[in-house]
Amino acid sequence: MMTTAPTPAVAWLRWAVKVAGIYVRLAGNSVEAAIRARAAVGGGGTAARLRAWASVIGVAVVAVASGGGRTALQKAFEPVERAADEAADALADAGKATAEDPYEPYRALYATLPVPPIGLAAAIESDEVFARLRVAGPNPMILSRVRAADDEAVAGWLTDAHLRAAAGCGGDSIAAAVADHRLYVADYRGFAAALRASSEATGGTDDLDMAGGADGRGAEVLLGPVAAFALPPGGGSDGRLQPIAILPDGEPSTPALTPADGTAWTAAKAIVNAADGAHHELDTHLARTHLFVNLAMGCTSRRLSAMHHPVWRLLTPHADGTAFINNLTPHTLLARGGDVHLLLPASRAAQVNYVGGIVTGARFNDRFPRTELAARGLLHEDALSYPYREDALAMYDAIHTFVADVLGEYYTSDADVGGDPELAAWAADISAPAPGGAGLAGFGELRPDGSTEEGIIRTFAYLVKAVTLLIWTASAQHAAANFPQADLMACAAAYPLAVREGAPTPGAATPITQWLPPLRVAARQLFLGNLLGGVVHLPLGSYPLTPLPGGWFRSARGAAAVSDLRRRLDDIDARIGLREAGEQWFKYEYLRADRVPRSINI
Ligand SMILES: [Fe+2]
């Protein structure tokens, strides 16, 4: 594992080279996909390949030369996106879709990029993979345990018969499964309702919906599905969930679908993955990591003495590149017509409105991983295999020990903490309403009744917890959300970010392609996922290279704390490697030591 990070200029040059390398790789993939598709209908060849590359390079040069700074970066997206569009159009022209394999044109988009090892269709075709994605996928933040038979997540639609039809659940019932802590749901109704409310509040329809073009596919459809999962009675599944039934649009009066429904069941699973993907990007990833960390880190820059205050020294390396990437995205991915706008449901205004509501509405004290897991009823469910939970908590505990070590050198009592005026100003700034402060609700000491002393830090324990949460969110939690984007989530056939058809009719044999995004959308999703999930920069456990004794923390105790942190991260890494060595479907390795950047920079 890396022991120090390079100086900032070298570090950011490396970042730029990594991003440029990915751009070239993605452009090459698109050019090759287009050439192969043209070749299939009598076109293509070396001359066409050279013309395509000349076009990509020419557009890039003109785009970058015509703008400076942020505009140049914004324009640098254009040639790669154009190449992706051309690949999609070439594949659509080549008509590669066949009734036997509806996924073939999506697979053909992977011309030089490797197809995910389990294949593109597995995420929605395989029940085992579909279930594992809820606990080891891009968005393992939705699953919750059903805590009462009349819980609104299952009331009115899930029946004992649904449960009994599942393998190994012959004599089961909802009441028994609830009592044994074996019934779980992934419920996206609240998310869909909030996004619909944002659409209504911002007045409108999506004026730039990619409605299918040559594919002739329909517009995006926003559904709020509920999926039910169970562990079979008596164990025997190694804690792995089985999907039981799906209510595709979340309305109890409409039909639920089960594994017996064939193609319609596959469509229902695609609807769940699409809701999961949209929630992931807007909520779990953008709102709860990128923007949350940015706001708190802004207070660190404003209120704490640069280079001197121990909390400034602890937090600042974990904000490397965060403001930069966040300032860039409104002009690229989040721009009108940008990839987030085009790939996800609802208009850009509705997406921004929704994200803003999460950033200001989610309470800081509810974000601690054990609090968050407990709220979903999953903290103590040891019978449930939940790789994200295992790794996220291990990372949190390692960072907590490290933060306590470092801060313990400077604060030896609660009185030291309460008597630090800079810390008091920092805490008040985090809670103060925006735009003057960060506007983060629920930050401050917890009273015995569970309420929060907003903007107040009085104890060493709360200081350590708050700093730990910020570092954990900037590193481990962002890694858990960000890097799955380059795997199955990059493929629209496996993880559509919006479906194109409403709830399927039970038993109907409508082709799955009716629900999947058109190829132009799929080509953009492949680009977006591989770009965002491809840049692993500045590993957790590294700190800026400092020639002074004691390293970045300028103390022997600080240097020892960093070494201890690295050792703990390596231990976690080894445990993940052992656990995943025999994994049958796909490995959950996003929190391995060399895959977790210390800051949000992509
Ligand atoms: Fe990210």
Side-chain angles (χ1 to χ4, degrees):
M1 191 170 170
M2 192 175 175
T3 53
T4 56
T7 53
V10 174
W12 292 107
L13 187 60
R14 281 188 191 168
W15 184 90
V17 168
K18 283 178 188 171
V19 171
I22 291 172
Y23 269 54
V24 171
R25 193 162 158 248
L26 295 175
N29 180 71
S30 294
V31 165
E32 195 58 31
I35 293 297
R36 290 181 191 178
R38 299 283 182 224
V41 291
T46 303
R49 187 175 282 112
L50 289 173
R51 276 199 304 277
W53 268 113
S55 169
V56 168
I57 294 166
V59 171
V61 168
V62 170
V64 173
S66 66
R70 194 168 64 198
T71 309
L73 284 164
Q74 181 180 349
K75 285 180 175 293
F77 274 74
E78 292 175 4
V80 187
E81 290 178 342
R82 202 165 96 171
D85 289 349
E86 285 176 5
D89 292 348
L91 283 164
D93 291 345
K96 297 193 78 170
T98 65
E100 294 76 35
D101 187 356
Y103 304 103
E104 174 52 27
Y106 297 95
R107 192 177 298 112
L109 285 172
Y110 289 81
T112 55
L113 293 173
V115 177
I118 61 167
L120 303 187
I124 50 177
E125 292 282 351
S126 156
D127 285 357
E128 291 86 353
V129 172
F130 177 73
R132 182 167 164 81
L133 285 168
R134 314 284 79 86
V135 291
N139 192 20
M141 314 304 295
I142 292 291
L143 191 76
S144 65
R145 180 167 57 81
V146 179
R147 279 165 274 192
D150 60 353
D151 188 307
E152 65 171 18
V154 294
W157 72 275
L158 190 71
T159 66
D160 288 347
H162 288 139
L163 213 55
R164 286 172 188 153
C169 298
D172 211 358
S173 69
I174 292 175
V178 168
D180 296 345
H181 293 203
R182 292 187 289 101
L183 188 59
Y184 298 83
V185 289
D187 188 346
Y188 301 90
R189 288 179 296 187
F191 164 63
L195 196 51
R196 278 192 205 106
S198 289
S199 287
E200 286 162 16
T202 52
T205 52
D206 190 351
D207 58 345
L208 264 181
D209 197 0
M210 263 182 140
D215 304 72
R217 215 66 58 76
E220 298 158 349
V221 177
L222 173 61
L223 296 170
V226 192
F229 302 83
L231 294 172
S237 71
D238 292 331
R240 300 205 177 215
L241 295 167
Q242 290 186 61
I244 301 297
I246 293 172
L247 192 61
D249 71 358
E251 172 52 54
S253 63
T254 59
L257 290 104
T258 72
D261 283 307
T263 305
W265 170 246
T266 303
K269 290 186 285 184
I271 288 168
V272 171
N273 278 2
D276 196 64
H279 180 275
H280 165 280
E281 291 296 4
L282 296 176
D283 192 307
T284 302
H285 183 202
L286 180 58
R288 291 182 193 264
T289 67
H290 277 250
L291 300 180
F292 166 65
V293 168
N294 204 140
L295 285 167
M297 295 304 191
C299 302
T300 305
S301 302
R302 283 197 295 269
R303 300 297 180 184
L304 303 177
S305 296
M307 308 300 288
H308 297 295
H309 198 282
V311 174
W312 185 95
R313 237 169 219 289
L314 251 179
L315 286 179
T316 301
H318 300 286
D320 275 343
T322 306
F324 167 77
I325 198 73
N326 288 350
N327 287 336
L328 191 60
T329 49
H331 307 278
T332 52
L333 304 179
L334 282 170
R336 184 174 183 275
D339 283 332
V340 171
H341 182 190
L342 293 175
L343 302 183
L344 273 63
S347 67
R348 179 179 182 272
Q351 292 168 355
V352 169
N353 182 283
Y354 174 83
V355 170
I358 298 299
V359 171
T360 55
R363 297 177 62 77
F364 189 97
N365 284 339
D366 292 342
R367 296 171 186 250
F368 293 104
R370 284 187 171 79
T371 308
E372 193 278 326
L373 286 161
R376 291 191 280 131
L378 301 181
L379 181 57
H380 301 298
E381 300 310 314
D382 295 339
L384 173 69
S385 170
Y386 194 176
Y388 161 79
R389 174 185 60 189
E390 192 176 310
D391 301 348
L393 292 180
M395 296 290 277
Y396 180 88
D397 291 343
I399 296 168
H400 187 278
T401 301
F402 164 70
V403 170
D405 270 2
V406 171
L407 292 182
E409 187 170 5
Y410 302 92
Y411 301 98
T412 58
S413 67
D414 289 344
D416 285 350
V417 172
D420 180 341
E422 287 195 26
L423 205 52
W426 177 73
D429 200 11
I430 289 175
S431 288
L440 294 176
F443 175 88
E445 299 280 350
L446 280 166
R447 298 188 183 93
D449 67 359
S451 63
T452 298
E453 294 183 57
E454 298 282 349
I456 302 292
I457 293 183
R458 287 186 290 95
T459 65
F460 181 72
Y462 187 79
L463 172 63
V464 170
K465 276 185 68 174
V467 171
T468 300
L469 179 63
L470 291 171
I471 295 175
W472 176 82
T473 307
S475 56
Q477 184 65 0
H478 177 257
N482 194 72
F483 295 103
Q485 291 179 116
D487 295 333
L488 274 178
M489 202 180 173
C491 178
Y495 239 102
L497 298 179
V499 288
R500 305 279 159 162
E501 190 71 62
T505 304
T510 311
I512 186 63
T513 43
Q514 287 297 110
W515 280 269
L516 299 182
L519 285 175
R520 269 202 172 202
V521 172
R524 290 289 190 93
Q525 188 167 329
L526 190 62
F527 159 72
L528 179 71
N530 278 281
L531 175 69
L532 299 184
V535 182
V536 183
H537 189 60
L538 299 173
L540 181 62
S542 70
Y543 282 89
L545 188 61
T546 308
L548 298 171
W552 172 250
F553 291 103
R554 296 185 186 174
S555 81
R557 179 165 168 172
V562 173
S563 295
D564 284 350
L565 173 63
R566 289 186 194 123
R567 184 178 47 73
R568 289 191 182 89
L569 296 178
D570 286 343
D571 289 347
I572 295 168
D573 182 275
R575 285 205 298 276
I576 295 173
L578 274 177
R579 183 191 67 208
E580 298 297 325
E583 170 55 36
Q584 180 183 0
W585 299 106
F586 61 91
K587 297 180 190 297
Y588 189 74
E589 299 186 310
Y590 302 112
L591 297 183
R592 295 195 73 157
D594 62 350
R595 302 193 188 183
V596 179
R598 73 180 187 220
S599 68
I600 297 170
N601 54 61
I602 191 70

